[in-house]
Amino acid sequence: MGTIKDFKYKLIKNFLTKEEIKLLSDYCRIKHRINFDSFDNLQNDNGDSYYYADPLMESLMINKLNIMEKETGLELLCTYAFWRMYTINADLKKHIDRPSCEISVTVMIGSDGTPWPIYMDGTEINMEPGDAAIYLGCEIEHWRERFKGDWHAQTFLHYVDKNGSNKEWARDKRLLYGMQL
């Protein structure tokens, strides 16, 4: 099987259970509805909610560590979680990530049903609620084109190789999970 460093990215079907999808989808929709101060106006000016170190998503990151280690073939350390509620006309600029995102997973929580693929090194990856794409965030260029739907909730769980050069980024150099930088 090798490690993720051999294949760079892959799609994992049913990364979330049906119960996790329901819980996280409801949570994201409610939190977006009552959001008054966590908007990404730098990347998008359309009112996308975003949350760094959200305690529920950080708990998910910790609880998915065993699956991530199995799927990547590596011993990993958790760094941070981030989630976002994308809205109409959102996009994700082509980029690579910072060192704390060495091994990343983008997880589709839910949407209004509008397809919205992510591109990894030019390859289109389509996901259903509960699916995840694991990738080398610092190496693989990834992006999304303009979103045509109403809402799309996505979480990003980040890890580093426990035996690699980015291990000092464990917890994103924070004292505790759930803390802001």
Side-chain angles (χ1 to χ4, degrees):
M1 177 177 165
T3 69
I4 190 165
K5 294 182 180 187
D6 297 326
F7 48 83
K8 310 282 188 202
Y9 60 90
K10 69 177 177 177
L11 178 65
I12 307 299
K13 300 297 283 180
N14 303 309
F15 184 81
L16 298 177
T17 66
K18 288 180 180 168
E19 294 80 10
E20 288 170 331
I21 294 167
K22 175 77 171 118
L23 172 73
L24 295 171
S25 184
D26 288 347
Y27 175 82
C28 291
R29 290 175 29 213
I30 290 168
K31 193 153 182 177
H32 175 70
R33 192 175 306 126
I34 63 171
N35 177 22
F36 293 105
D37 59 3
S38 291
F39 297 104
D40 183 357
N41 294 320
L42 296 176
Q43 186 167 331
N44 295 308
D45 58 4
N46 58 344
D48 291 354
S49 294
Y50 77 103
Y51 296 93
Y52 171 89
D54 179 270
L56 180 58
M57 299 307 170
E58 297 235 313
S59 298
L60 181 68
M61 171 188 65
I62 293 164
N63 281 273
K64 294 298 182 178
L65 178 61
N66 289 339
I67 292 172
M68 288 296 294
E69 289 182 330
K70 179 180 174 246
E71 293 292 340
T72 62
L74 299 171
E75 287 184 89
L76 301 174
L77 298 170
C78 299
T79 59
Y80 76 97
F82 181 90
W83 78 268
R84 176 178 214 114
M85 176 66 79
Y86 294 96
T87 57
I88 191 164
N89 292 322
D91 64 359
L92 179 63
K93 307 286 188 239
K94 189 181 287 190
H95 70 285
I96 59 171
D97 295 324
R98 59 192 181 91
S100 58
C101 308
E102 179 182 14
I103 312 293
S104 293
V105 58
T106 181
V107 184
M108 185 190 182
I109 294 171
S111 76
D112 64 358
T114 304
W116 198 37
I118 188 166
Y119 294 86
M120 304 266 179
D121 258 0
T123 301
E124 180 178 305
I125 298 174
N126 289 289
M127 294 189 286
E128 298 295 322
D131 292 347
I134 299 173
Y135 58 101
L136 296 175
C138 302
E139 295 181 28
I140 301 295
E141 267 194 331
H142 48 285
W143 70 93
R144 290 179 186 267
E145 302 296 333
R146 192 155 306 278
F147 181 53
K148 306 280 193 239
D150 184 46
W151 69 274
H152 181 103
Q154 197 81 18
T155 191
F156 310 90
L157 313 176
H158 302 292
Y159 305 84
V160 291
D161 183 344
K162 182 178 183 177
N163 302 303
S165 60
N166 292 319
K167 63 186 171 224
E168 75 273 10
W169 287 92
R171 289 185 313 280
D172 209 19
K173 297 189 175 183
R174 299 170 293 162
L175 180 62
L176 301 169
Y177 295 116
M179 292 180 68
Q180 299 296 313
L181 280 177

